[in-house]
Amino acid sequence: MRLTPIVLVALSLLAGCFGGEDGTSDPVQDEPVSGLSADADLTTYAPFSLQLCDQGYRLVQVAMQATAASADRSCDFRVTKPLEDPTRFDWQGQHGPGNEVSMAVDPNSPLTLAGGAKDYTVSYISDTADCGEYTVWNGHFWSHDGGRTWANDLVPGFVGDPRPSPLKGNLCNTDPVSVFDSDGTYWHNGLNYRGAREDVGDPITPTGDGGVLTGSQIFFARSTDGAQTFDRITFASYGQNDPGIFNDKNWVAVDPDSDHMIHTWTNFYAAAPLIMYVESFDAGATWSQPVPLTPGPSIPGITGGQAGLAAPTGQFSMPQYDADGDVWVIWSAAGGVAITRGDRHRDLIEQDERVATVFEPARIAVTPGGMGGTGCLTKADFRTSVYPVFAVDTYGADHRNRKYLAWPAAGVTGTGIWVSHSDDALTWTAPVEVTKDLPEDQFMSWIDVDPFGTVHVAYYDCSVDVGGTNMTMGYTYSLDGGDTWAPNVWVGQIPFDGDLGHHQSGVPFIGDYIAVDASCQAVHFFWADTRHGRSDVYAATLLRDPLAMNAYAPELGSGGVSCDYDGP
C-alpha cells in the first residue's frame, strides 16, 4: 500500500514528543530515545523526522533551531577510518582523507549500502604521489546494517596493491559513481589516468591494441556479494593514445528491467567538450564504442568516424531510465540545462536485438540563474561546482515518469537550491527555491525519488554558521510531486570548515558532488566532512516513520519490515 502523505505537524509538537511532561522540548535533542510504545500515535511524527543513531535514534534537527550535539554518541557515521599508523601499509583498517562521494542502496536489501570517494590513502601510508601532491585512488565502502557501520577498502589495482587487478599499471583514478542493479549487483564506475594497462591485448579494447595510455580510460567494477569484493572489471573509452583527449565527469545508469546500461561523460577534445556515451547490452560485460550523445563531427579516436551535427557542449551529464525503459540524459550546457531522450527500440530489444540507442536533438529544459553567494561562498577557498542534478519517478504511482531537476543559483538570501519538474520534458514548472527560508548559502545539491514517489533533495548548507564559513548537510523533501516542500533540516551534527579538505593537487577541496539515495523505508546521505581537521566521508540515515525502526534498529523493535508495509 502506498504511504498516505500526512500533513506536517507543528515543529513544537515534534519537539514535545521527546520532551518532559509539560511538553517542552528536551534541551539536547541528541539524547538517546529508547523506543516507541506499541500504541504510539504515528501521526505525531512527520515523515523522515527520525534519524538513525548508534544508540537508537533522535529527532532530526530543524534548520535554525538545532541544539548542541552530544559528544558521546553519533547520529551521523564516520565512514573513512582514522589514520593510526602511517608506517603500516594497511588501507582497510585505516584511511587517509576522502571526498567527492557517491552512494547507492540495494533495492533488494535496503540495509545494504555501498559507496565510493576520491581517496588519498595511498599517499598517507606510502611515499607515492602520482597525481600531484597526492595520489588519488577510488575508495570503496559498504554497510550491511543500514549505514550504522562501514567497511573500508580501495578499488584493487593501486600502486603497491598486492592483489591482482586489471587496473594495475594505472597510477590514479577518480570520479566514483555507485549504482545497484535491480538484482542486487553493485557497480563502481570511475576514471583512470596517468599510466598504462598491464593486460595487453585484452579483446574488449575497442581498437584491439593493448598498453594504451589512460588519460581517458573508463572502468566498471562489478560486485555480486553485497559490494564487498569485485569479481569483474571492464573498460570503455581508452583515448587511443591521443593526448588531446581528456574524459571527465562520468555517470552511469542501469535499466531495472533488462541488462542494458548506459554511461555518459564529457570528452574535452582540444578544449571543445562533447557529451559522449557508451552502452552495454550484457550487464556491463562489453561496451559499445564511444560516440557523441547527439550526432557529432568526425574526430579521430572518439567518434568512430560518424558524421552529423555538432553535439551541444557542456559538462556534468546524468543519464536516467524512465518507467518505460527509455533513457533521458541532462547536462549543463551554454544556454541552461540541456535534456535529450534516447529511444531504445524496445520492440527490437524484446527480440534480443542489440540496437543502439538513438537520441533526439537536445533542447534546453530550464535556464538557471547565476550564483549569488552572499555568505560562506564568498569566504571559502574550496572549489564550488555549479551543475544540475536529475531524477525520474519510475515507480508508476501518482507521478509516473515525472522528471525533476535541482541546481544551485541566486536566491532570496544568497545561493539557494532550486527545483523544477515536468511530466513530458517539454513544459517545466517555474523553478521553486526549496531553501528560501535559510539565511545563508546552499550549494552542491543532489536529488532522488523513492518507491513511494517522495522527492528527496540534499545539499551543503552554511546557515548553521551565519556570517562564518562552516557548513553541514541540509535536506528537504516533497510528498506531492514537487509542489510543496517540508521544512529544511540539518542532517549533520557538527558544523565543519570545507577549506580543511584537499584535492590531489593540494588545493582546498571537498569534492564536486554529494549523494542521497532512498529506499521505501529510509533516505541515506553521503558527504565530505572535515570535523576531524581533514576531509572524511560521512553517512546518515533518516527513517520514513517509526515502523521502519524495526528493521534499522532491531534492538528497539522486533522483526523486519517489508517495503509494502502500511505506513501512517
Side-chain angles (χ1 to χ4, degrees):
M1 176 180 176
R2 178 181 171 82
L3 292 181
T4 303
I6 63 174
V7 178
L8 290 175
V9 297
L11 298 176
S12 59
L13 289 178
L14 281 174
C17 294
F18 294 86
E21 293 181 356
D22 61 356
T24 58
S25 61
D26 195 289
V28 178
Q29 291 179 331
D30 280 348
E31 290 307 304
V33 178
S34 59
L36 298 167
S37 64
D39 59 351
D41 182 3
L42 300 183
T43 62
T44 61
Y45 295 87
F48 308 105
S49 62
L50 301 179
Q51 183 167 0
L52 186 66
C53 300
D54 57 5
Q55 302 173 34
Y57 55 96
R58 68 166 181 170
L59 182 66
V60 70
Q61 296 181 330
V62 177
M64 309 308 299
Q65 298 184 24
T67 57
S70 175
D72 61 348
R73 58 192 300 272
S74 175
C75 301
D76 34 68
F77 304 102
R78 188 175 183 176
V79 176
T80 43
K81 295 179 173 65
L83 184 67
E84 298 177 347
D85 181 4
T87 66
R88 189 175 77 243
F89 196 64
D90 172 16
W91 64 90
Q92 295 176 324
Q94 59 180 355
H95 251 68
N99 48 41
E100 192 159 287
V101 300
S102 183
M103 178 269 299
V105 184
D106 184 345
N108 294 321
S109 176
L111 295 181
T112 298
L113 316 177
K118 288 170 67 90
D119 192 294
Y120 310 92
T121 298
V122 172
S123 289
Y124 278 75
I125 61 175
S126 71
D127 296 328
T128 303
D130 287 320
C131 315
E133 188 171 341
Y134 302 91
T135 288
V136 61
W137 192 269
N138 279 1
H140 166 53
F141 323 109
W142 65 95
S143 171
H144 291 163
D145 59 6
R148 273 178 153 182
T149 61
W150 291 84
N152 286 242
D153 203 345
L154 296 176
V155 174
F158 58 89
V159 175
D161 189 352
R163 301 170 294 183
S165 170
L167 298 181
K168 282 199 169 183
N170 294 290
L171 303 182
C172 311
N173 61 34
T174 184
D175 289 24
V177 179
S178 299
V179 61
F180 275 97
D181 198 347
S182 56
D183 64 2
T185 300
Y186 171 68
W187 292 91
H188 183 115
N189 166 228
L191 300 175
N192 294 318
Y193 63 100
R194 294 195 181 179
R197 302 211 357 263
E198 288 187 346
D199 56 334
V200 175
D202 189 322
I204 66 168
T205 304
T207 58
D209 58 348
V212 295
L213 296 179
T214 58
S216 56
Q217 187 190 72
I218 296 169
F219 75 88
F220 305 86
R222 183 186 73 172
S223 173
T224 58
D225 60 1
Q228 297 179 84
T229 61
F230 297 111
D231 66 340
R232 189 180 77 194
I233 297 177
T234 55
F235 303 90
S237 186
Y238 292 81
Q240 324 297 42
N241 282 325
D242 189 334
I245 295 175
F246 180 75
N247 291 335
D248 193 29
K249 197 64 253 93
N250 48 301
W251 209 259
V252 65
V254 182
D255 182 4
D257 297 321
S258 75
D259 288 333
H260 191 262
M261 299 173 67
I262 190 157
H263 179 273
T264 65
W265 72 97
T266 300
N267 187 307
F268 289 96
Y269 184 84
L274 292 171
I275 302 297
M276 307 290 293
Y277 83 98
V278 292
E279 57 186 327
S280 174
F281 295 89
D282 52 15
T286 60
W287 293 86
S288 63
Q289 290 197 46
V291 293
L293 193 64
T294 55
S298 178
I299 301 176
I302 60 173
T303 66
Q306 291 191 1
L309 300 176
T313 60
Q315 174 67 306
F316 215 93
S317 60
M318 290 188 68
Q320 295 285 345
Y321 291 87
D322 64 20
D324 298 321
D326 283 334
V327 176
W328 294 85
V329 185
I330 64 104
W331 64 93
S332 181
V337 182
I339 187 168
T340 181
R341 170 183 169 271
D343 185 351
R344 293 196 39 227
H345 299 285
R346 292 183 302 281
D347 55 334
L348 297 177
I349 291 173
E350 291 174 357
Q351 302 173 36
D352 199 30
E353 296 286 343
R354 298 188 176 190
V355 180
T357 302
V358 177
F359 285 94
E360 299 171 346
R363 54 184 176 271
I364 297 299
V366 296
T367 304
M371 293 285 279
T374 60
C376 67
L377 292 182
T378 66
K379 307 178 183 71
D381 293 325
F382 60 82
R383 184 167 78 196
T384 305
S385 296
V386 182
Y387 50 81
V389 288
F390 182 48
V392 181
D393 188 340
T394 61
Y395 299 99
D398 293 347
H399 306 292
R400 184 176 187 269
N401 281 337
R402 178 164 289 182
K403 299 149 191 73
Y404 298 90
L405 290 168
W407 65 89
V412 174
T413 57
T415 290
I417 305 302
W418 297 75
V419 177
S420 178
H421 63 77
S422 173
D423 292 325
D424 58 10
L426 296 174
T427 303
W428 293 81
T429 59
V432 174
E433 186 184 2
V434 299
T435 55
K436 61 183 176 58
D437 295 328
L438 300 176
E440 267 275 0
D441 296 327
Q442 297 84 43
F443 56 98
M444 225 177 280
S445 54
W446 208 260
I447 190 167
D448 190 44
V449 182
D450 72 27
F452 292 113
T454 306
V455 187
H456 303 272
V457 174
Y459 47 85
Y460 283 130
D461 182 17
C462 292
S463 300
V464 72
D465 184 21
V466 176
T469 59
N470 288 328
M471 65 188 72
T472 193
M473 177 59 51
Y475 165 70
T476 184
Y477 64 89
S478 173
L479 294 171
D480 55 10
D483 292 335
T484 61
W485 294 84
N488 303 92
V489 299
W490 288 329
V491 176
Q493 288 179 277
I494 299 174
F496 63 92
D497 182 354
D499 282 346
L500 298 180
H502 68 71
H503 187 266
Q504 58 263 35
S505 65
V507 301
F509 185 68
I510 56 171
D512 288 329
Y513 46 94
I514 59 172
V516 60
D517 198 18
S519 69
C520 58
Q521 299 172 335
V523 55
H524 303 274
F525 305 84
F526 235 41
W527 72 96
D529 191 305
T530 66
R531 68 184 67 182
H532 298 291
R534 69 173 205 177
S535 180
D536 281 292
V537 179
Y538 264 79
T541 296
L542 298 185
L543 303 174
R544 175 174 286 277
D545 59 44
L547 289 177
M549 187 58 65
N550 290 326
Y552 285 83
E555 72 275 13
L556 302 181
S558 60
V561 179
S562 66
C563 281
D564 58 357
Y565 71 93
D566 291 343

